[in-house]
Amino acid sequence: MLLAMGTVITEGIVHAGVSDKCSDCHTMHNSQGGQPMNFNSEATPLPLLLRETCLGCHTGVNTGAASGFGAIPKVDSSPAAPTYIWGGGGNTLAGGNFWWVGFDDALGHNVAGVDTPDSRLTTPPGWNQGAAWSGQLKCAGTNGCHGNTGVADQILALESAHHSNVSAPPDLDGTTIGTSYRFLSGALGLEDPDWEYTLSSTDHNQYVGVVSRTESNAASPATISGQCARCHGNYHNSSGSGVNEISVNGDMASPWLRHPTDYAMPLTGEFSGYLNPYNPKVPLGRLTTELGALPDDVSSVNRRVIVCVSCHVAHGSPYKSMLRWNYRAWPGADPTLNNGCQLCHTAKG
């Protein structure tokens, strides 16, 4: 099954932060010569006088171009699969790509407009919000990841965000959608300018984590894991929730019930092999005070926080559970090709 994609905008040039013509994105009257001004020729006007939806702008093949839509995160609309290379070098970006979810629900998030609702799950795995999940996942808004989660319409949920987009502290402070990391409400971090189209130990996003000391530390919306925990809360520290807690003795020590998140990886023991440089194959979070404080490739204390995206990508990958590497192919002739676990647990083979 191929994905239902929006129309790729090819006219005009638009950059993050919005610095070009207003008419590249907006229309005043939704008609020109009696014809609709939406890029997909739909006659129904869009909110905010926009000419395209989220997927309409963010669909196509990533090219890494310095300007224009080639550098903007996209859903690949080509018949062939995107080129995914663990650790960088393909044409996918930091979030992977939704392309694969059209063939297997386990390979990505089933976002409305990209694919049909998930055929396996009616609620997100690890959901702990009490009220039943309803409706399909969207890019933004109440049922989405980006934008104002108090606004149902995903376009309105991102109102003004592109106009006020920033990429680094202190401007990126989480106080508004535009000043939140990747428009994730309240999230902090440091944004790689090409969304990790090029990726190395010195060229990558910087994700925020916290160093949790007890299981009762609730997920913080400032961290990337806290954003994931909005839907997958039982996979994070869960304040006083008994069987849903991530370890059994209340002090964040083994034995673990599930892999820890927002937990600082020790510098010693089996983890001592992951020192420097930072390995983009398994990205680690860092405290907010460490954002940009040292060279990107330094992986020192307070810059070794295990986060959800250490193992998973946010949009989709060719591997089950949106993992970064093909865990099911391990062990093999070369474990480093398939075993991301070994990159942190260096004493285990």
Side-chain angles (χ1 to χ4, degrees):
M1 178 180 68
L2 292 178
L3 309 187
M5 301 300 176
T7 302
V8 179
I9 300 175
T10 56
E11 56 183 90
I13 296 176
V14 178
H15 304 277
V18 184
S19 58
D20 280 290
K21 297 182 296 182
C22 299
S23 59
D24 284 338
C25 296
H26 299 279
T27 177
M28 290 296 291
H29 305 110
N30 197 46
S31 72
Q32 182 71 33
Q35 299 301 310
M37 288 297 290
N38 290 343
F39 288 112
N40 62 2
S41 298
E42 288 288 335
T44 303
L46 293 170
L48 307 179
L49 305 178
L50 283 172
R51 301 181 66 187
E52 191 52 278
T53 63
C54 300
L55 288 173
C57 288
H58 296 283
T59 299
V61 179
N62 296 300
T63 66
S67 63
F69 283 86
I72 293 180
K74 290 176 178 287
V75 179
D76 197 322
S77 59
S78 60
T83 304
Y84 178 91
I85 299 175
W86 180 33
N91 62 8
T92 54
L93 305 177
N97 201 292
F98 290 113
W99 191 91
W100 291 281
V101 76
F103 301 91
D104 188 337
D105 286 338
L107 302 181
H109 281 112
N110 299 71
V111 172
V114 171
D115 193 42
T116 57
D118 197 308
S119 61
R120 308 176 188 217
L121 300 168
T122 56
T123 58
W127 177 257
N128 67 345
Q129 300 302 310
W133 174 271
S134 62
Q136 189 176 357
L137 182 68
K138 296 180 179 179
C139 295
T142 304
N143 273 26
C145 297
H146 303 277
N148 186 341
T149 57
V151 176
D153 186 280
Q154 58 182 343
I155 293 179
L156 294 177
L158 288 163
E159 184 175 3
S160 299
H162 287 87
H163 290 271
S164 56
N165 183 37
V166 295
S167 61
D171 297 320
L172 202 159
D173 58 13
T175 58
T176 67
I177 301 303
T179 60
S180 295
Y181 179 84
R182 304 300 188 202
F183 301 157
L184 300 168
S185 181
L188 302 176
L190 198 156
E191 300 177 356
D192 182 50
D194 68 358
W195 295 268
E196 296 190 349
Y197 183 83
T198 57
L199 180 63
S200 71
S201 63
T202 59
D203 179 14
H204 56 83
N205 290 323
Q206 293 189 26
Y207 302 107
V208 165
V210 298
V211 180
S212 297
R213 299 299 182 188
T214 68
E215 295 179 79
S216 60
N217 290 135
S220 167
T223 71
I224 195 69
S225 295
Q227 292 290 322
C228 301
R230 287 166 42 201
C231 290
H232 307 288
N234 284 346
Y235 291 163
H236 199 277
N237 314 4
S238 46
S239 180
S241 58
V243 296
N244 293 326
E245 294 176 355
I246 62 173
S247 71
V248 296
N249 56 10
D251 62 359
M252 295 289 283
S254 293
W256 299 103
L257 293 183
R258 57 182 64 89
H259 202 287
T261 51
D262 277 343
Y263 184 79
M265 187 168 67
L267 292 168
T268 58
E270 66 181 275
F271 308 100
S272 60
Y274 189 136
L275 289 174
N276 292 310
Y278 174 99
N279 193 332
K281 283 189 169 184
V282 182
L284 298 176
R286 52 196 63 184
L287 303 189
T288 55
T289 53
E290 294 292 314
L291 294 176
L294 294 171
D296 284 0
D297 61 345
V298 174
S299 173
S300 61
V301 65
N302 294 331
R303 299 165 72 88
R304 295 163 59 88
V305 182
I306 302 162
V307 292
C308 297
V309 296
S310 296
C311 302
H312 302 275
V313 294
H315 297 163
S317 82
Y319 308 125
K320 296 290 185 179
S321 302
M322 303 186 299
L323 282 170
R324 291 181 175 274
W325 63 88
N326 188 6
Y327 176 77
R328 295 189 178 191
W330 181 84
D334 184 353
T336 62
L337 293 176
N338 304 309
N339 185 14
C341 304
Q342 194 176 31
L343 296 181
C344 291
H345 300 272
T346 54
K348 296 178 179 178

